[in-house]
Amino acid sequence: MKVPKAGVIAAVIGLSLTASACGGDDDQGTLAVGIKFDQPGVGMREPDGTFTGFDVDVATYVAKELGYSKDRIVFKEVLSNDRELLIEYNEVEIVAASYSINDKRKAKVDFAGPYFLAHQDLMVRADDPTLTKAEDLNNPAKRLCSVTGSTSAENVRKNLAPKASLLELGGYSECVVALKDGLVDAMTTDNSILAGYTARKGNEGKFRLIGLRLSNENYGIGMKKGNTELQVKINNALRKMVEDGTWEAAVKKNFGPDYKYETAPAITAGS
């Protein structure tokens, strides 16, 4: 399911041709922010065209601190495997899209944060009692879904279930459909994303999280390398968001009362 690099670059070039129509870089006075469009509770484009989710709330708060009101933010969709490209090609100025900080990504972009700590988990169908731990998937007969370019997919290959049949799709919503239809036995990504899907209207009672902590995912805000001034400003905004209580309120609003979140991580990027 991997997209050829040339195809990705062509898509990025195509986006640049329409940037002015959606408030892109040619439209002075706006801030282009990359988010996910298909992650309930994290980053979601609703049917009415509005945007919801924790990353959306964080990006909106940061934008305000940078001097941009809500009507001057332009949200653009990013996929897990094209976030660095969109930053490099100036399609977005910052990315807040369940963007885990790691050394491979830091070689291409700079980060502010982290602003949230998630853990990789497994989501299965609620009526399937056979999967209770990661090792239950380590069988060629078991099919696991993840998203191309995600750190979860890499962890699956190396550590989680090397014998499982891994299906990589372009978006998390596609994995949810595959799980619901019985095409895969489980789906893996961050527990924050999975919690959003289990709580999504229409999904109540259909899925369950196993409750694992297979990795530590520190979400950061990505930007072009070398923009130290912007990095410092965003870090200051994130600290203020935690201190004034907005961060905790956003967590509870987006992930629900049953989500067991951890306190905001210490900001280390750029320090």
Side-chain angles (χ1 to χ4, degrees):
M1 295 294 298
K2 288 187 177 296
V3 179
K5 185 177 292 186
V8 174
I9 294 176
V12 171
I13 294 173
L15 278 172
S16 67
L17 296 176
T18 60
S20 60
C22 58
D25 296 322
D26 291 335
D27 184 4
Q28 296 297 323
T30 61
L31 181 70
V33 180
I35 62 169
K36 292 295 184 68
F37 276 22
D38 68 339
Q39 293 180 358
V42 180
M44 188 75 185
R45 188 181 190 276
E46 301 293 348
D48 63 1
T50 59
F51 299 96
T52 61
F54 181 69
D55 281 348
V56 174
D57 290 344
V58 170
T60 301
Y61 188 98
V62 167
K64 179 192 69 176
E65 293 300 306
L66 294 176
Y68 295 91
S69 56
K70 286 184 179 180
D71 61 338
R72 293 168 60 202
I73 304 171
V74 179
F75 288 117
K76 295 187 178 183
E77 183 177 23
V78 297
L79 303 179
S80 292
N81 62 340
D82 68 7
R83 289 174 287 205
E84 290 85 18
L85 273 174
L86 292 179
I87 293 172
E88 179 185 352
Y89 280 84
N90 299 313
E91 285 300 316
V92 295
E93 188 166 358
I94 62 174
V95 169
S98 55
Y99 202 3
S100 299
I101 301 173
N102 61 37
D103 290 339
K104 182 178 178 181
R105 290 168 178 168
K106 286 195 291 185
K108 298 178 181 179
V109 301
D110 281 340
F111 284 96
Y115 61 89
F116 190 78
L117 175 60
H119 303 282
Q120 185 179 354
D121 199 354
L122 293 172
M123 185 170 83
V124 299
R125 289 181 294 278
D127 60 358
D128 183 358
T130 64
L131 297 176
T132 59
K133 57 186 183 299
E135 290 75 14
D136 293 336
L137 285 168
N138 200 29
N139 185 319
K142 295 294 185 181
R143 301 202 73 194
L144 178 66
C145 191
S146 191
V147 173
T148 304
S150 70
T151 54
S152 297
E154 294 178 10
N155 194 28
V156 167
R157 287 195 188 95
K158 295 178 181 178
N159 306 310
L160 177 57
K163 294 181 181 180
S165 299
L166 178 62
L167 175 65
E168 290 186 84
L169 298 177
Y172 294 100
S173 293
E174 296 173 47
C175 278
V176 173
V177 172
L179 180 60
K180 182 167 59 176
D181 291 346
L183 300 177
V184 296
D185 300 289
M187 166 183 173
T188 187
T189 186
D190 303 347
N191 54 4
S192 56
I193 299 170
L194 297 176
Y197 277 113
T198 60
R200 186 73 172 169
K201 186 177 181 180
N203 287 345
E204 300 96 331
K206 293 182 179 179
F207 307 107
R208 64 179 174 88
L209 271 61
I210 291 182
L212 306 175
R213 293 189 173 190
L214 301 172
S215 68
N216 295 324
E217 306 296 338
N218 284 289
Y219 291 174
I221 295 181
M223 68 200 75
K224 209 159 190 177
K225 287 194 74 67
N227 197 340
T228 304
E229 182 180 358
L230 179 62
Q231 185 184 48
V232 170
K233 288 181 178 179
I234 294 177
N235 278 338
N236 289 338
L238 294 173
R239 291 188 183 98
K240 182 178 178 182
M241 186 178 185
V242 173
E243 291 168 359
D244 68 16
T246 306
W247 182 91
E248 186 173 21
V251 171
K252 292 179 178 178
K253 180 187 77 172
N254 289 292
F255 300 127
D258 296 330
Y259 181 74
K260 297 179 180 179
Y261 66 93
E262 299 183 38
T263 57
I267 291 176
T268 57
S271 60

Short mmCIF file of all heavy atoms in Angstrom, two decimals, residues 22-53:
data_model
loop_
_atom_site.label_atom_id
_atom_site.label_comp_id
_atom_site.label_asym_id
_atom_site.label_seq_id
_atom_site.Cartn_x
_atom_site.Cartn_y
_atom_site.Cartn_z
N CYS A 22 -7.62 28.10 -0.94
CA CYS A 22 -8.00 27.67 0.41
C CYS A 22 -7.19 28.39 1.47
O CYS A 22 -6.96 27.86 2.55
CB CYS A 22 -7.85 26.15 0.55
SG CYS A 22 -6.20 25.52 0.22
N GLY A 23 -6.71 29.58 1.14
CA GLY A 23 -6.00 30.37 2.15
C GLY A 23 -4.61 29.90 2.41
O GLY A 23 -4.19 29.82 3.55
N GLY A 24 -3.84 29.57 1.37
CA GLY A 24 -2.50 29.06 1.53
C GLY A 24 -1.49 30.15 1.76
O GLY A 24 -1.80 31.25 2.20
N ASP A 25 -0.21 29.87 1.39
CA ASP A 25 0.88 30.77 1.71
C ASP A 25 0.79 32.10 0.97
O ASP A 25 1.37 33.09 1.40
CB ASP A 25 2.21 30.08 1.39
CG ASP A 25 2.42 28.86 2.27
OD1 ASP A 25 2.06 28.92 3.46
OD2 ASP A 25 2.92 27.86 1.76
N ASP A 26 0.08 32.09 -0.17
CA ASP A 26 -0.05 33.33 -0.92
C ASP A 26 -1.03 34.29 -0.26
O ASP A 26 -1.09 35.45 -0.61
CB ASP A 26 -0.51 33.03 -2.37
CG ASP A 26 0.58 32.31 -3.16
OD1 ASP A 26 1.77 32.47 -2.82
OD2 ASP A 26 0.22 31.60 -4.11
N ASP A 27 -1.82 33.78 0.66
CA ASP A 27 -2.82 34.59 1.34
C ASP A 27 -2.22 35.09 2.65
O ASP A 27 -2.19 34.40 3.65
CB ASP A 27 -4.08 33.75 1.60
CG ASP A 27 -5.19 34.58 2.22
OD1 ASP A 27 -5.04 35.80 2.38
OD2 ASP A 27 -6.22 33.97 2.54
N GLN A 28 -1.69 36.32 2.62
CA GLN A 28 -1.03 36.87 3.79
C GLN A 28 -2.05 37.01 4.93
O GLN A 28 -3.20 37.32 4.73
CB GLN A 28 -0.41 38.22 3.44
CG GLN A 28 0.70 38.13 2.40
CD GLN A 28 1.88 37.31 2.89
OE1 GLN A 28 2.23 37.38 4.06
NE2 GLN A 28 2.49 36.53 2.01
N GLY A 29 -1.54 36.81 6.13
CA GLY A 29 -2.40 36.98 7.29
C GLY A 29 -3.08 35.74 7.77
O GLY A 29 -3.89 35.79 8.69
N THR A 30 -2.77 34.57 7.18
CA THR A 30 -3.33 33.31 7.65
C THR A 30 -2.21 32.39 8.09
O THR A 30 -1.05 32.56 7.71
CB THR A 30 -4.15 32.61 6.56
OG1 THR A 30 -3.30 32.31 5.44
CG2 THR A 30 -5.30 33.49 6.09
N LEU A 31 -2.56 31.40 8.89
CA LEU A 31 -1.62 30.40 9.35
C LEU A 31 -2.09 29.03 8.86
O LEU A 31 -3.17 28.57 9.24
CB LEU A 31 -1.53 30.41 10.87
CG LEU A 31 -0.55 29.41 11.49
CD1 LEU A 31 0.90 29.83 11.20
CD2 LEU A 31 -0.77 29.30 13.01
N ALA A 32 -1.30 28.39 8.02
CA ALA A 32 -1.64 27.07 7.50
C ALA A 32 -1.16 26.00 8.48
O ALA A 32 0.03 25.91 8.78
CB ALA A 32 -1.01 26.85 6.14
N VAL A 33 -2.10 25.21 8.99
CA VAL A 33 -1.81 24.21 10.01
C VAL A 33 -2.20 22.83 9.50
O VAL A 33 -3.34 22.61 9.08
CB VAL A 33 -2.58 24.50 11.32
CG1 VAL A 33 -2.26 23.45 12.37
CG2 VAL A 33 -2.26 25.89 11.83
N GLY A 34 -1.28 21.89 9.53
CA GLY A 34 -1.56 20.52 9.12
C GLY A 34 -2.13 19.72 10.28
O GLY A 34 -1.53 19.68 11.36
N ILE A 35 -3.28 19.10 10.06
CA ILE A 35 -3.91 18.24 11.07
C ILE A 35 -4.41 16.98 10.39
O ILE A 35 -4.44 16.89 9.16
CB ILE A 35 -5.09 18.94 11.79
CG1 ILE A 35 -6.20 19.28 10.78
CG2 ILE A 35 -4.62 20.18 12.53
CD1 ILE A 35 -7.49 19.72 11.41
N LYS A 36 -4.81 16.01 11.18
CA LYS A 36 -5.49 14.84 10.63
C LYS A 36 -6.97 15.17 10.48
O LYS A 36 -7.54 15.91 11.28
CB LYS A 36 -5.31 13.63 11.56
CG LYS A 36 -3.88 13.11 11.63
CD LYS A 36 -3.44 12.55 10.29
CE LYS A 36 -2.04 11.94 10.35
NZ LYS A 36 -1.98 10.72 11.16
N PHE A 37 -7.57 14.62 9.45
CA PHE A 37 -9.00 14.84 9.20
C PHE A 37 -9.86 13.65 9.62
O PHE A 37 -11.08 13.71 9.55
CB PHE A 37 -9.24 15.11 7.70
CG PHE A 37 -9.01 16.53 7.28
CD1 PHE A 37 -8.22 17.40 8.01
CD2 PHE A 37 -9.60 17.01 6.11
CE1 PHE A 37 -8.01 18.71 7.60
CE2 PHE A 37 -9.40 18.32 5.70
CZ PHE A 37 -8.60 19.18 6.44
N ASP A 38 -9.22 12.53 10.03
CA ASP A 38 -9.99 11.30 10.25
C ASP A 38 -9.71 10.66 11.59
O ASP A 38 -9.82 9.45 11.75
CB ASP A 38 -9.70 10.29 9.12
CG ASP A 38 -8.27 9.75 9.17
OD1 ASP A 38 -7.40 10.41 9.78
OD2 ASP A 38 -8.03 8.67 8.60
N GLN A 39 -9.35 11.47 12.60
CA GLN A 39 -9.08 10.94 13.93
C GLN A 39 -10.03 11.56 14.94
O GLN A 39 -9.75 12.63 15.50
CB GLN A 39 -7.63 11.22 14.34
CG GLN A 39 -6.60 10.49 13.51
CD GLN A 39 -5.18 10.79 13.95
OE1 GLN A 39 -4.94 11.58 14.85
NE2 GLN A 39 -4.23 10.17 13.29
N PRO A 40 -11.16 10.93 15.21
CA PRO A 40 -12.10 11.48 16.20
C PRO A 40 -11.41 11.69 17.54
O PRO A 40 -10.66 10.83 18.01
CB PRO A 40 -13.17 10.39 16.31
CG PRO A 40 -13.06 9.60 15.05
CD PRO A 40 -11.62 9.64 14.66
N GLY A 41 -11.66 12.84 18.14
CA GLY A 41 -11.05 13.16 19.42
C GLY A 41 -9.67 13.77 19.31
O GLY A 41 -9.20 14.43 20.23
N VAL A 42 -9.01 13.59 18.18
CA VAL A 42 -7.66 14.12 17.97
C VAL A 42 -7.67 15.20 16.89
O VAL A 42 -7.34 16.35 17.13
CB VAL A 42 -6.67 12.99 17.61
CG1 VAL A 42 -5.27 13.56 17.38
CG2 VAL A 42 -6.64 11.94 18.70
N GLY A 43 -8.05 14.81 15.69
CA GLY A 43 -8.18 15.76 14.59
C GLY A 43 -9.21 15.24 13.62
O GLY A 43 -9.01 14.20 12.98
N MET A 44 -10.33 15.92 13.51
CA MET A 44 -11.46 15.40 12.73
C MET A 44 -12.14 16.52 11.95
O MET A 44 -12.43 17.59 12.51
CB MET A 44 -12.49 14.74 13.65
CG MET A 44 -13.59 14.00 12.93
SD MET A 44 -12.97 12.44 12.26
CE MET A 44 -14.43 11.89 11.35
N ARG A 45 -12.36 16.28 10.66
CA ARG A 45 -13.18 17.19 9.87
C ARG A 45 -14.61 16.66 9.88
O ARG A 45 -14.88 15.60 9.35
CB ARG A 45 -12.68 17.30 8.43
CG ARG A 45 -13.40 18.38 7.61
CD ARG A 45 -12.88 18.42 6.18
NE ARG A 45 -13.38 19.57 5.46
CZ ARG A 45 -14.56 19.65 4.85
NH1 ARG A 45 -15.37 18.59 4.89
NH2 ARG A 45 -14.94 20.73 4.21
N GLU A 46 -15.48 17.40 10.53
CA GLU A 46 -16.85 16.95 10.69
C GLU A 46 -17.63 17.15 9.39
O GLU A 46 -17.22 17.92 8.51
CB GLU A 46 -17.53 17.72 11.83
CG GLU A 46 -16.84 17.57 13.18
CD GLU A 46 -16.93 16.17 13.75
OE1 GLU A 46 -17.71 15.36 13.22
OE2 GLU A 46 -16.22 15.88 14.73
N PRO A 47 -18.79 16.46 9.25
CA PRO A 47 -19.58 16.59 8.01
C PRO A 47 -19.98 18.02 7.68
O PRO A 47 -20.16 18.36 6.50
CB PRO A 47 -20.82 15.73 8.31
CG PRO A 47 -20.33 14.70 9.29
CD PRO A 47 -19.33 15.43 10.15
N ASP A 48 -20.11 18.88 8.68
CA ASP A 48 -20.50 20.26 8.41
C ASP A 48 -19.31 21.16 8.07
O ASP A 48 -19.46 22.38 7.91
CB ASP A 48 -21.27 20.85 9.60
CG ASP A 48 -20.44 20.92 10.87
OD1 ASP A 48 -19.26 20.53 10.84
OD2 ASP A 48 -20.98 21.38 11.90
N GLY A 49 -18.11 20.54 7.98
CA GLY A 49 -16.94 21.31 7.60
C GLY A 49 -16.15 21.89 8.75
O GLY A 49 -15.08 22.47 8.54
N THR A 50 -16.64 21.74 9.98
CA THR A 50 -15.90 22.24 11.14
C THR A 50 -14.84 21.22 11.56
O THR A 50 -14.86 20.06 11.11
CB THR A 50 -16.85 22.51 12.32
OG1 THR A 50 -17.53 21.28 12.66
CG2 THR A 50 -17.87 23.58 11.94
N PHE A 51 -13.93 21.65 12.42
CA PHE A 51 -12.83 20.79 12.86
C PHE A 51 -12.89 20.62 14.37
O PHE A 51 -13.09 21.59 15.11
CB PHE A 51 -11.49 21.39 12.44
CG PHE A 51 -11.34 21.53 10.96
CD1 PHE A 51 -11.63 22.74 10.33
CD2 PHE A 51 -10.94 20.46 10.18
CE1 PHE A 51 -11.51 22.88 8.96
CE2 PHE A 51 -10.82 20.58 8.80
CZ PHE A 51 -11.11 21.79 8.19
N THR A 52 -12.72 19.38 14.82
CA THR A 52 -12.77 19.08 16.24
C THR A 52 -11.58 18.20 16.61
O THR A 52 -10.95 17.58 15.75
CB THR A 52 -14.07 18.35 16.61
OG1 THR A 52 -14.12 17.09 15.89
CG2 THR A 52 -15.29 19.18 16.27
N GLY A 53 -11.29 18.14 17.91
CA GLY A 53 -10.25 17.26 18.40
C GLY A 53 -9.21 17.99 19.23
O GLY A 53 -9.11 19.22 19.20
#
